[in-house]
Amino acid sequence: MSPLSEPHRWQLRVDVANHAFFDHAHDHIPGLVFLDAAAQATHALSGARRTLPTHFDAEFARYVELDAPCWLEVTPLRRRAPGIISTRLTGRQNDSEVFSVRITASEYN
């Protein structure tokens, strides 16, 4: 993810040479990349030294192609308990919402 000048917004950056996410040539970004981005965004917003994702709830509306930027927006959600953080990460490409991930994580300092 690359930060933008706006708070809680990033541009998705992917390394297609990363074989953990790209095991063969793709014309789109695999969904696992978005789960990783959600975990990174949750950690970035938490202020904690470490976070451990405990729950993902994802909806994928359409493929995210490699030929156009994908913009990420994170919305912090209400804390259910101390040490537990939830966020919603939304991806947009070509002015359309392409995925949404709600993530819950435990914070560790």
Side-chain angles (χ1 to χ4, degrees):
M1 298 184 315
S2 294
L4 302 174
S5 59
E6 304 163 50
H8 302 205
R9 287 204 56 184
W10 294 275
Q11 181 177 356
L12 181 66
R13 300 276 188 194
V14 297
D15 177 5
V16 295
N18 182 335
H19 293 291
F21 296 122
F22 296 90
D23 61 351
H24 64 280
H26 286 279
D27 58 351
H28 64 275
I29 300 171
L32 187 58
V33 171
F34 309 123
L35 300 181
D36 185 59
Q40 289 182 41
T42 299
H43 177 76
L45 290 181
S46 73
R49 284 185 355 159
R50 296 184 313 163
T51 56
L52 176 65
T54 57
H55 182 80
F56 291 94
D57 183 11
E59 294 181 22
F60 302 98
R62 59 178 231 210
Y63 287 115
V64 176
E65 307 296 341
L66 290 167
D67 63 353
C70 181
W71 308 103
L72 307 175
E73 185 169 326
V74 177
T75 305
L77 302 175
R78 184 176 54 88
R79 289 182 181 257
R80 291 189 227 162
I84 304 296
I85 184 171
S86 293
T87 60
R88 180 174 184 245
L89 177 72
T90 303
R92 297 184 70 77
Q93 188 175 53
N94 298 324
D95 296 321
S96 295
E97 185 173 312
V98 290
F99 72 88
S100 175
V101 179
R102 182 183 171 136
I103 179 174
T104 303
S106 296
E107 300 175 309
Y108 299 95
N109 285 315

PDB file of all heavy atoms in Angstrom, residues 51-76:
ATOM      1  N   THR A  51      -0.349  -6.601  15.756  1.00  0.00           N
ATOM      2  CA  THR A  51      -1.763  -6.989  15.703  1.00  0.00           C
ATOM      3  C   THR A  51      -1.843  -8.405  15.144  1.00  0.00           C
ATOM      4  O   THR A  51      -0.992  -8.831  14.359  1.00  0.00           O
ATOM      5  CB  THR A  51      -2.601  -6.041  14.817  1.00  0.00           C
ATOM      6  OG1 THR A  51      -2.022  -5.990  13.511  1.00  0.00           O
ATOM      7  CG2 THR A  51      -2.679  -4.648  15.412  1.00  0.00           C
ATOM      8  N   LEU A  52      -2.863  -9.115  15.551  1.00  0.00           N
ATOM      9  CA  LEU A  52      -3.101 -10.469  15.071  1.00  0.00           C
ATOM     10  C   LEU A  52      -4.524 -10.538  14.517  1.00  0.00           C
ATOM     11  O   LEU A  52      -5.492 -10.446  15.285  1.00  0.00           O
ATOM     12  CB  LEU A  52      -2.934 -11.487  16.202  1.00  0.00           C
ATOM     13  CG  LEU A  52      -3.258 -12.933  15.843  1.00  0.00           C
ATOM     14  CD1 LEU A  52      -2.269 -13.462  14.811  1.00  0.00           C
ATOM     15  CD2 LEU A  52      -3.254 -13.793  17.097  1.00  0.00           C
ATOM     16  N   PRO A  53      -4.684 -10.666  13.198  1.00  0.00           N
ATOM     17  CA  PRO A  53      -6.028 -10.801  12.634  1.00  0.00           C
ATOM     18  C   PRO A  53      -6.714 -12.049  13.174  1.00  0.00           C
ATOM     19  O   PRO A  53      -6.112 -13.114  13.240  1.00  0.00           O
ATOM     20  CB  PRO A  53      -5.777 -10.926  11.130  1.00  0.00           C
ATOM     21  CG  PRO A  53      -4.418 -10.347  10.917  1.00  0.00           C
ATOM     22  CD  PRO A  53      -3.648 -10.658  12.162  1.00  0.00           C
ATOM     23  N   THR A  54      -7.972 -11.886  13.582  1.00  0.00           N
ATOM     24  CA  THR A  54      -8.728 -13.021  14.120  1.00  0.00           C
ATOM     25  C   THR A  54      -9.979 -13.341  13.308  1.00  0.00           C
ATOM     26  O   THR A  54     -10.534 -14.431  13.453  1.00  0.00           O
ATOM     27  CB  THR A  54      -9.140 -12.752  15.584  1.00  0.00           C
ATOM     28  OG1 THR A  54      -9.906 -11.542  15.634  1.00  0.00           O
ATOM     29  CG2 THR A  54      -7.916 -12.617  16.474  1.00  0.00           C
ATOM     30  N   HIS A  55     -10.440 -12.407  12.471  1.00  0.00           N
ATOM     31  CA  HIS A  55     -11.666 -12.643  11.711  1.00  0.00           C
ATOM     32  C   HIS A  55     -11.682 -11.748  10.470  1.00  0.00           C
ATOM     33  O   HIS A  55     -11.384 -10.559  10.559  1.00  0.00           O
ATOM     34  CB  HIS A  55     -12.896 -12.346  12.569  1.00  0.00           C
ATOM     35  CG  HIS A  55     -14.182 -12.612  11.872  1.00  0.00           C
ATOM     36  ND1 HIS A  55     -14.720 -13.874  11.748  1.00  0.00           N
ATOM     37  CD2 HIS A  55     -15.033 -11.788  11.238  1.00  0.00           C
ATOM     38  CE1 HIS A  55     -15.847 -13.804  11.078  1.00  0.00           C
ATOM     39  NE2 HIS A  55     -16.064 -12.543  10.759  1.00  0.00           N
ATOM     40  N   PHE A  56     -12.027 -12.335   9.336  1.00  0.00           N
ATOM     41  CA  PHE A  56     -12.224 -11.601   8.081  1.00  0.00           C
ATOM     42  C   PHE A  56     -13.639 -11.874   7.587  1.00  0.00           C
ATOM     43  O   PHE A  56     -14.114 -13.005   7.658  1.00  0.00           O
ATOM     44  CB  PHE A  56     -11.262 -12.081   6.993  1.00  0.00           C
ATOM     45  CG  PHE A  56      -9.821 -11.757   7.215  1.00  0.00           C
ATOM     46  CD1 PHE A  56      -8.976 -12.678   7.820  1.00  0.00           C
ATOM     47  CD2 PHE A  56      -9.295 -10.542   6.809  1.00  0.00           C
ATOM     48  CE1 PHE A  56      -7.636 -12.397   8.006  1.00  0.00           C
ATOM     49  CE2 PHE A  56      -7.951 -10.259   6.991  1.00  0.00           C
ATOM     50  CZ  PHE A  56      -7.124 -11.177   7.591  1.00  0.00           C
ATOM     51  N   ASP A  57     -14.298 -10.846   7.078  1.00  0.00           N
ATOM     52  CA  ASP A  57     -15.585 -10.990   6.410  1.00  0.00           C
ATOM     53  C   ASP A  57     -15.458 -10.196   5.112  1.00  0.00           C
ATOM     54  O   ASP A  57     -15.424  -8.965   5.146  1.00  0.00           O
ATOM     55  CB  ASP A  57     -16.714 -10.451   7.289  1.00  0.00           C
ATOM     56  CG  ASP A  57     -18.082 -10.647   6.673  1.00  0.00           C
ATOM     57  OD1 ASP A  57     -18.201 -11.387   5.668  1.00  0.00           O
ATOM     58  OD2 ASP A  57     -19.044 -10.050   7.186  1.00  0.00           O
ATOM     59  N   ALA A  58     -15.340 -10.886   3.992  1.00  0.00           N
ATOM     60  CA  ALA A  58     -15.027 -10.227   2.723  1.00  0.00           C
ATOM     61  C   ALA A  58     -16.130 -10.413   1.693  1.00  0.00           C
ATOM     62  O   ALA A  58     -16.782 -11.454   1.649  1.00  0.00           O
ATOM     63  CB  ALA A  58     -13.710 -10.772   2.173  1.00  0.00           C
ATOM     64  N   GLU A  59     -16.311  -9.386   0.884  1.00  0.00           N
ATOM     65  CA  GLU A  59     -17.219  -9.432  -0.267  1.00  0.00           C
ATOM     66  C   GLU A  59     -16.453  -8.935  -1.473  1.00  0.00           C
ATOM     67  O   GLU A  59     -15.850  -7.862  -1.432  1.00  0.00           O
ATOM     68  CB  GLU A  59     -18.437  -8.545  -0.024  1.00  0.00           C
ATOM     69  CG  GLU A  59     -19.325  -9.019   1.099  1.00  0.00           C
ATOM     70  CD  GLU A  59     -20.537  -8.126   1.285  1.00  0.00           C
ATOM     71  OE1 GLU A  59     -20.916  -7.414   0.326  1.00  0.00           O
ATOM     72  OE2 GLU A  59     -21.092  -8.133   2.392  1.00  0.00           O
ATOM     73  N   PHE A  60     -16.466  -9.711  -2.535  1.00  0.00           N
ATOM     74  CA  PHE A  60     -15.770  -9.358  -3.760  1.00  0.00           C
ATOM     75  C   PHE A  60     -16.815  -9.122  -4.846  1.00  0.00           C
ATOM     76  O   PHE A  60     -17.536 -10.042  -5.218  1.00  0.00           O
ATOM     77  CB  PHE A  60     -14.797 -10.464  -4.163  1.00  0.00           C
ATOM     78  CG  PHE A  60     -13.785 -10.751  -3.091  1.00  0.00           C
ATOM     79  CD1 PHE A  60     -13.961 -11.819  -2.220  1.00  0.00           C
ATOM     80  CD2 PHE A  60     -12.669  -9.955  -2.934  1.00  0.00           C
ATOM     81  CE1 PHE A  60     -13.027 -12.098  -1.234  1.00  0.00           C
ATOM     82  CE2 PHE A  60     -11.734 -10.213  -1.946  1.00  0.00           C
ATOM     83  CZ  PHE A  60     -11.915 -11.286  -1.092  1.00  0.00           C
ATOM     84  N   ALA A  61     -16.907  -7.894  -5.340  1.00  0.00           N
ATOM     85  CA  ALA A  61     -17.925  -7.545  -6.326  1.00  0.00           C
ATOM     86  C   ALA A  61     -17.490  -7.862  -7.752  1.00  0.00           C
ATOM     87  O   ALA A  61     -18.308  -8.221  -8.589  1.00  0.00           O
ATOM     88  CB  ALA A  61     -18.278  -6.062  -6.217  1.00  0.00           C
ATOM     89  N   ARG A  62     -16.183  -7.703  -8.017  1.00  0.00           N
ATOM     90  CA  ARG A  62     -15.663  -8.009  -9.351  1.00  0.00           C
ATOM     91  C   ARG A  62     -14.149  -8.073  -9.279  1.00  0.00           C
ATOM     92  O   ARG A  62     -13.548  -7.723  -8.279  1.00  0.00           O
ATOM     93  CB  ARG A  62     -16.134  -6.995 -10.377  1.00  0.00           C
ATOM     94  CG  ARG A  62     -15.745  -5.575 -10.075  1.00  0.00           C
ATOM     95  CD  ARG A  62     -16.217  -4.658 -11.151  1.00  0.00           C
ATOM     96  NE  ARG A  62     -15.077  -3.854 -11.572  1.00  0.00           N
ATOM     97  CZ  ARG A  62     -15.169  -2.644 -12.026  1.00  0.00           C
ATOM     98  NH1 ARG A  62     -16.341  -2.092 -12.191  1.00  0.00           N
ATOM     99  NH2 ARG A  62     -14.100  -1.978 -12.364  1.00  0.00           N
ATOM    100  N   TYR A  63     -13.541  -8.522 -10.351  1.00  0.00           N
ATOM    101  CA  TYR A  63     -12.088  -8.614 -10.407  1.00  0.00           C
ATOM    102  C   TYR A  63     -11.455  -7.230 -10.317  1.00  0.00           C
ATOM    103  O   TYR A  63     -11.993  -6.260 -10.844  1.00  0.00           O
ATOM    104  CB  TYR A  63     -11.624  -9.261 -11.714  1.00  0.00           C
ATOM    105  CG  TYR A  63     -11.868 -10.741 -11.777  1.00  0.00           C
ATOM    106  CD1 TYR A  63     -12.762 -11.267 -12.706  1.00  0.00           C
ATOM    107  CD2 TYR A  63     -11.208 -11.617 -10.932  1.00  0.00           C
ATOM    108  CE1 TYR A  63     -12.985 -12.633 -12.781  1.00  0.00           C
ATOM    109  CE2 TYR A  63     -11.417 -12.978 -10.990  1.00  0.00           C
ATOM    110  CZ  TYR A  63     -12.303 -13.481 -11.916  1.00  0.00           C
ATOM    111  OH  TYR A  63     -12.524 -14.823 -11.984  1.00  0.00           O
ATOM    112  N   VAL A  64     -10.295  -7.173  -9.679  1.00  0.00           N
ATOM    113  CA  VAL A  64      -9.477  -5.965  -9.678  1.00  0.00           C
ATOM    114  C   VAL A  64      -8.361  -6.226 -10.677  1.00  0.00           C
ATOM    115  O   VAL A  64      -7.545  -7.139 -10.494  1.00  0.00           O
ATOM    116  CB  VAL A  64      -8.923  -5.654  -8.274  1.00  0.00           C
ATOM    117  CG1 VAL A  64      -8.001  -4.453  -8.318  1.00  0.00           C
ATOM    118  CG2 VAL A  64     -10.063  -5.422  -7.300  1.00  0.00           C
ATOM    119  N   GLU A  65      -8.366  -5.456 -11.732  1.00  0.00           N
ATOM    120  CA  GLU A  65      -7.416  -5.656 -12.821  1.00  0.00           C
ATOM    121  C   GLU A  65      -6.080  -5.003 -12.503  1.00  0.00           C
ATOM    122  O   GLU A  65      -5.991  -4.087 -11.689  1.00  0.00           O
ATOM    123  CB  GLU A  65      -7.994  -5.088 -14.125  1.00  0.00           C
ATOM    124  CG  GLU A  65      -9.378  -5.602 -14.475  1.00  0.00           C
ATOM    125  CD  GLU A  65      -9.438  -7.094 -14.759  1.00  0.00           C
ATOM    126  OE1 GLU A  65      -8.389  -7.702 -15.043  1.00  0.00           O
ATOM    127  OE2 GLU A  65     -10.541  -7.656 -14.708  1.00  0.00           O
ATOM    128  N   LEU A  66      -5.045  -5.448 -13.159  1.00  0.00           N
ATOM    129  CA  LEU A  66      -3.700  -4.917 -12.954  1.00  0.00           C
ATOM    130  C   LEU A  66      -3.430  -3.651 -13.764  1.00  0.00           C
ATOM    131  O   LEU A  66      -2.442  -2.969 -13.521  1.00  0.00           O
ATOM    132  CB  LEU A  66      -2.650  -5.977 -13.316  1.00  0.00           C
ATOM    133  CG  LEU A  66      -2.571  -7.163 -12.367  1.00  0.00           C
ATOM    134  CD1 LEU A  66      -1.743  -8.279 -12.983  1.00  0.00           C
ATOM    135  CD2 LEU A  66      -1.987  -6.725 -11.039  1.00  0.00           C
ATOM    136  N   ASP A  67      -4.317  -3.311 -14.699  1.00  0.00           N
ATOM    137  CA  ASP A  67      -4.041  -2.198 -15.603  1.00  0.00           C
ATOM    138  C   ASP A  67      -4.602  -0.850 -15.160  1.00  0.00           C
ATOM    139  O   ASP A  67      -4.512   0.130 -15.897  1.00  0.00           O
ATOM    140  CB  ASP A  67      -4.565  -2.526 -17.005  1.00  0.00           C
ATOM    141  CG  ASP A  67      -6.079  -2.714 -17.049  1.00  0.00           C
ATOM    142  OD1 ASP A  67      -6.713  -2.724 -15.971  1.00  0.00           O
ATOM    143  OD2 ASP A  67      -6.613  -2.869 -18.160  1.00  0.00           O
ATOM    144  N   ALA A  68      -5.178  -0.767 -13.961  1.00  0.00           N
ATOM    145  CA  ALA A  68      -5.717   0.499 -13.456  1.00  0.00           C
ATOM    146  C   ALA A  68      -5.497   0.558 -11.950  1.00  0.00           C
ATOM    147  O   ALA A  68      -5.494  -0.487 -11.289  1.00  0.00           O
ATOM    148  CB  ALA A  68      -7.208   0.617 -13.777  1.00  0.00           C
ATOM    149  N   PRO A  69      -5.301   1.757 -11.386  1.00  0.00           N
ATOM    150  CA  PRO A  69      -5.072   1.839  -9.941  1.00  0.00           C
ATOM    151  C   PRO A  69      -6.291   1.393  -9.139  1.00  0.00           C
ATOM    152  O   PRO A  69      -7.430   1.560  -9.561  1.00  0.00           O
ATOM    153  CB  PRO A  69      -4.763   3.310  -9.694  1.00  0.00           C
ATOM    154  CG  PRO A  69      -5.109   4.034 -10.929  1.00  0.00           C
ATOM    155  CD  PRO A  69      -5.260   3.051 -12.038  1.00  0.00           C
ATOM    156  N   CYS A  70      -6.017   0.819  -7.983  1.00  0.00           N
ATOM    157  CA  CYS A  70      -7.058   0.447  -7.024  1.00  0.00           C
ATOM    158  C   CYS A  70      -6.827   1.287  -5.773  1.00  0.00           C
ATOM    159  O   CYS A  70      -5.728   1.293  -5.210  1.00  0.00           O
ATOM    160  CB  CYS A  70      -6.982  -1.039  -6.701  1.00  0.00           C
ATOM    161  SG  CYS A  70      -8.254  -1.580  -5.531  1.00  0.00           S
ATOM    162  N   TRP A  71      -7.845   2.010  -5.366  1.00  0.00           N
ATOM    163  CA  TRP A  71      -7.761   2.912  -4.220  1.00  0.00           C
ATOM    164  C   TRP A  71      -8.397   2.248  -3.009  1.00  0.00           C
ATOM    165  O   TRP A  71      -9.482   1.678  -3.106  1.00  0.00           O
ATOM    166  CB  TRP A  71      -8.457   4.235  -4.547  1.00  0.00           C
ATOM    167  CG  TRP A  71      -7.954   4.808  -5.837  1.00  0.00           C
ATOM    168  CD1 TRP A  71      -8.582   4.786  -7.050  1.00  0.00           C
ATOM    169  CD2 TRP A  71      -6.694   5.420  -6.055  1.00  0.00           C
ATOM    170  NE1 TRP A  71      -7.793   5.367  -7.996  1.00  0.00           N
ATOM    171  CE2 TRP A  71      -6.623   5.772  -7.420  1.00  0.00           C
ATOM    172  CE3 TRP A  71      -5.601   5.719  -5.233  1.00  0.00           C
ATOM    173  CZ2 TRP A  71      -5.515   6.399  -7.977  1.00  0.00           C
ATOM    174  CZ3 TRP A  71      -4.497   6.348  -5.789  1.00  0.00           C
ATOM    175  CH2 TRP A  71      -4.464   6.686  -7.141  1.00  0.00           C
ATOM    176  N   LEU A  72      -7.715   2.319  -1.880  1.00  0.00           N
ATOM    177  CA  LEU A  72      -8.169   1.686  -0.643  1.00  0.00           C
ATOM    178  C   LEU A  72      -8.574   2.743   0.364  1.00  0.00           C
ATOM    179  O   LEU A  72      -7.863   3.734   0.544  1.00  0.00           O
ATOM    180  CB  LEU A  72      -7.035   0.840  -0.044  1.00  0.00           C
ATOM    181  CG  LEU A  72      -6.397  -0.185  -0.965  1.00  0.00           C
ATOM    182  CD1 LEU A  72      -5.228  -0.850  -0.273  1.00  0.00           C
ATOM    183  CD2 LEU A  72      -7.416  -1.201  -1.430  1.00  0.00           C
ATOM    184  N   GLU A  73      -9.707   2.537   0.998  1.00  0.00           N
ATOM    185  CA  GLU A  73     -10.166   3.431   2.057  1.00  0.00           C
ATOM    186  C   GLU A  73     -10.509   2.595   3.278  1.00  0.00           C
ATOM    187  O   GLU A  73     -11.223   1.604   3.180  1.00  0.00           O
ATOM    188  CB  GLU A  73     -11.379   4.227   1.611  1.00  0.00           C
ATOM    189  CG  GLU A  73     -11.797   5.248   2.644  1.00  0.00           C
ATOM    190  CD  GLU A  73     -12.831   6.211   2.115  1.00  0.00           C
ATOM    191  OE1 GLU A  73     -12.792   6.554   0.924  1.00  0.00           O
ATOM    192  OE2 GLU A  73     -13.693   6.611   2.907  1.00  0.00           O
ATOM    193  N   VAL A  74      -9.975   3.003   4.429  1.00  0.00           N
ATOM    194  CA  VAL A  74     -10.189   2.270   5.675  1.00  0.00           C
ATOM    195  C   VAL A  74     -11.092   3.072   6.595  1.00  0.00           C
ATOM    196  O   VAL A  74     -10.887   4.273   6.787  1.00  0.00           O
ATOM    197  CB  VAL A  74      -8.846   1.985   6.377  1.00  0.00           C
ATOM    198  CG1 VAL A  74      -9.076   1.293   7.698  1.00  0.00           C
ATOM    199  CG2 VAL A  74      -7.968   1.154   5.488  1.00  0.00           C
ATOM    200  N   THR A  75     -12.077   2.409   7.143  1.00  0.00           N
ATOM    201  CA  THR A  75     -12.977   3.017   8.115  1.00  0.00           C
ATOM    202  C   THR A  75     -12.810   2.293   9.438  1.00  0.00           C
ATOM    203  O   THR A  75     -13.090   1.086   9.513  1.00  0.00           O
ATOM    204  CB  THR A  75     -14.445   2.902   7.652  1.00  0.00           C
ATOM    205  OG1 THR A  75     -14.567   3.464   6.345  1.00  0.00           O
ATOM    206  CG2 THR A  75     -15.376   3.588   8.627  1.00  0.00           C
ATOM    207  N   PRO A  76     -12.314   2.979  10.479  1.00  0.00           N
ATOM    208  CA  PRO A  76     -12.260   2.327  11.798  1.00  0.00           C
ATOM    209  C   PRO A  76     -13.679   2.079  12.295  1.00  0.00           C
ATOM    210  O   PRO A  76     -14.560   2.920  12.127  1.00  0.00           O
ATOM    211  CB  PRO A  76     -11.546   3.348  12.681  1.00  0.00           C
ATOM    212  CG  PRO A  76     -10.935   4.347  11.752  1.00  0.00           C
ATOM    213  CD  PRO A  76     -11.762   4.323  10.500  1.00  0.00           C
TER     214      PRO A  76
END
